[in-house]
Amino acid sequence: MRVGIVGAGTMGRVHAAAYRRIGVEGLAAYDVDPVKLADFASEEGAEPFTDYPKMLAEVDVVDVCAPTFAHQQLAEQAFAAGRDVILEKPLALSVAQGEQILRAARESGRRLFVAMVVRFFPQYRRARELVSRGELGRIGVVRLKRVSFPPAAAWFRDPAKSGGMPVDLMIHDLDYARWLLGGPRRVFARMSRGDRASALEHVQATLAYDDGAMVFVEGGWAYPPGYFRTSLDIAGDKGLIEWSSDQPVPLDTLLPKDAPPPKLGLPMAGLEENPYETELRHALSAFDSGEPFAVAPQEALEALRLAIAVRESALSESVVEVA
Ligand SMILES: NC(=O)c1ccc[n+]([C@@H]2O[C@H](COP(=O)([O-])OP(=O)(O)OC[C@H]3O[C@@H](n4cnc5c(N)ncnc54)[C@H](O)[C@@H]3O)[C@@H](O)[C@H]2O)c1
């Protein structure tokens, strides 16, 4: 299967490295910036294309790692050329754009995989498995955190191009919350932004569910350079799961003494593989076999809808109904 990477930036390189480890040969690459494209091609061993349609004619799968504002056009062109598409998250900048991408995939008869990588992190997968097996009982409270320094590329800092922090970064945890518990009824979020030009958005969002469950999601781009912290903490009436990137132990469970011993184990096997590699291996294998993706396009759209609702709530300082 020949893969063409679109976007010779950070994620293009992360994906190229993952394809190398998977053993994918004959990578192709396209970027609007010829200098970045040439560097990428020589460093990643890809065939460079300065013309997108020409690359589309040469590959089986297009992997869009370009900035979010370009996702719709690049994906739609690929579908029109009869190619399957891997698209970095977030799906798009608006629900309408996202719906158009999903429609273009359906109408072309091609497949779309949206790369929501957190679903491929072993700790997050394992925690979700325990929740769906009922080992924690009824879930009451979930806390998810993902805080980082501001991204360097200028387009991230313009919400019209990236969607802002909730759509770009917090979407990982919003998707995870939906994967655990389904969609919330309403959201309320507060944002601290520093000055407008700095993009130092830091958001605390509360997701309220019909059954009384609450999810608190914290996300931000206001940490000092180099810092990236994530954590999850899921409380049910039978037990609790905690994990934090600050802890040496990948995943910790606190279950009552009379419960069967946790079958958790430490997800060491999963940690041996880079989650981007797990994710792309899954996508290629699903393209090949026709099996369903671990992330359905509609789920990526619903995560985007929720992220936009969070941003809307933070900006309007009011509760936003989601469902
Ligand atoms: N899954 C994750 O963990 C993760 C992390 C970071 C970024 N992302 C997502 O990946 C995407 C890319 O982010 P990045 O950090 O690699 O950005 P980046 O700025 O590092 O790289 C983007 C590249 O795309 C090129 N480009 C711009 N417009 C283009 C177009 N129309 N056609 C082709 N190439 C174009 C740029 O020249 C640049 O080389 C974004 O959607 C972002 O939200 C995902």
Side-chain angles (χ1 to χ4, degrees):
M1 203 174 273
R2 193 161 187 212
V3 179
I5 294 181
V6 183
T10 310
M11 291 316 291
R13 285 175 187 274
V14 168
H15 285 208
Y19 287 127
R20 248 194 327 274
R21 288 191 298 268
I22 294 170
V24 172
E25 288 175 3
L27 273 186
Y30 163 71
D31 195 294
V32 283
D33 181 329
V35 176
K36 283 189 174 175
L37 177 65
D39 288 350
F40 182 90
S42 69
E43 286 158 27
E44 306 295 340
E47 183 186 355
F49 285 84
T50 49
D51 182 289
Y52 188 39
K54 278 195 184 139
M55 187 187 82
L56 290 177
E58 295 292 326
V59 299
D60 303 295
V61 172
V62 178
D63 182 352
V64 178
C65 297
T68 310
F69 61 84
H71 283 187
Q72 183 181 5
Q73 195 207 325
L74 292 164
E76 288 183 357
Q77 255 182 284
F79 291 132
R83 301 294 168 251
D84 289 324
V85 173
I86 296 172
L87 189 57
E88 253 307 341
K89 50 51 60 184
L91 171 63
L93 289 174
S94 70
V95 171
Q97 269 185 10
E99 285 171 341
Q100 284 162 21
I101 296 174
L102 266 56
R103 192 175 318 121
R106 266 197 315 274
E107 288 175 357
S108 68
R110 305 314 307 181
R111 299 185 69 198
L112 168 67
F113 173 73
V114 183
M116 308 291 304
V117 74
V118 167
R119 294 199 187 202
F120 297 88
F121 273 75
Q123 317 85 317
Y124 286 80
R125 284 163 76 148
R126 186 69 175 140
R128 200 264 183 176
E129 237 174 79
L130 291 171
V131 168
S132 57
R133 286 214 308 254
E135 297 209 16
L136 299 193
R138 188 173 159 271
I139 303 303
V141 180
V142 177
R143 292 176 195 276
L144 303 168
K145 177 171 165 179
R146 187 168 306 270
V147 290
S148 155
F149 51 100
W155 67 267
F156 279 105
R157 294 157 183 254
D158 179 353
K161 292 184 171 166
S162 70
M165 193 284 301
V167 168
D168 189 78
L169 182 68
M170 190 185 259
I171 195 164
H172 286 297
D173 293 300
L174 296 171
D175 175 62
Y176 188 68
R178 292 192 80 266
W179 197 35
L180 283 178
L181 301 180
R185 170 66 57 193
R186 56 187 68 88
V187 303
F188 181 66
R190 297 303 305 258
M191 171 166 13
S192 160
R193 286 209 274 188
D195 63 85
R196 269 166 193 278
S198 64
L200 294 179
E201 295 184 352
H202 194 98
V203 172
Q204 171 71 50
T206 302
L207 318 184
Y209 284 76
D210 279 341
D211 67 355
M214 292 185 299
V215 180
F216 301 106
V217 191
E218 184 181 5
W221 276 340
Y223 264 49
Y227 281 80
F228 191 89
R229 297 279 190 276
T230 56
S231 67
L232 67 79
D233 162 340
I234 304 171
D237 56 11
K238 291 195 189 146
L240 170 68
I241 293 175
E242 289 179 340
W243 175 78
S244 154
S245 58
D246 286 330
Q247 291 171 2
V249 179
L251 194 64
D252 204 8
T253 54
L254 304 167
L255 294 168
K257 284 201 180 99
D258 58 353
K263 297 185 190 106
L264 173 64
L266 301 178
M268 293 311 290
L271 288 177
E272 283 168 9
E273 183 171 83
N274 175 307
Y276 293 97
E277 185 180 335
T278 314
E279 168 188 69
L280 294 173
R281 191 191 297 283
H282 161 73
L284 295 186
S285 143
F287 283 132
D288 198 36
S289 65
E291 80 200 48
F293 293 124
V295 189
Q298 189 65 35
E299 292 178 280
L301 179 65
E302 296 310 323
L304 175 64
R305 195 191 306 279
L306 184 53
I308 289 170
V310 165
R311 187 171 174 82
E312 218 179 281
S313 171
L315 293 177
S316 65
E317 300 194 350
S318 60
V319 172
V320 172
E321 301 287 323
V322 187

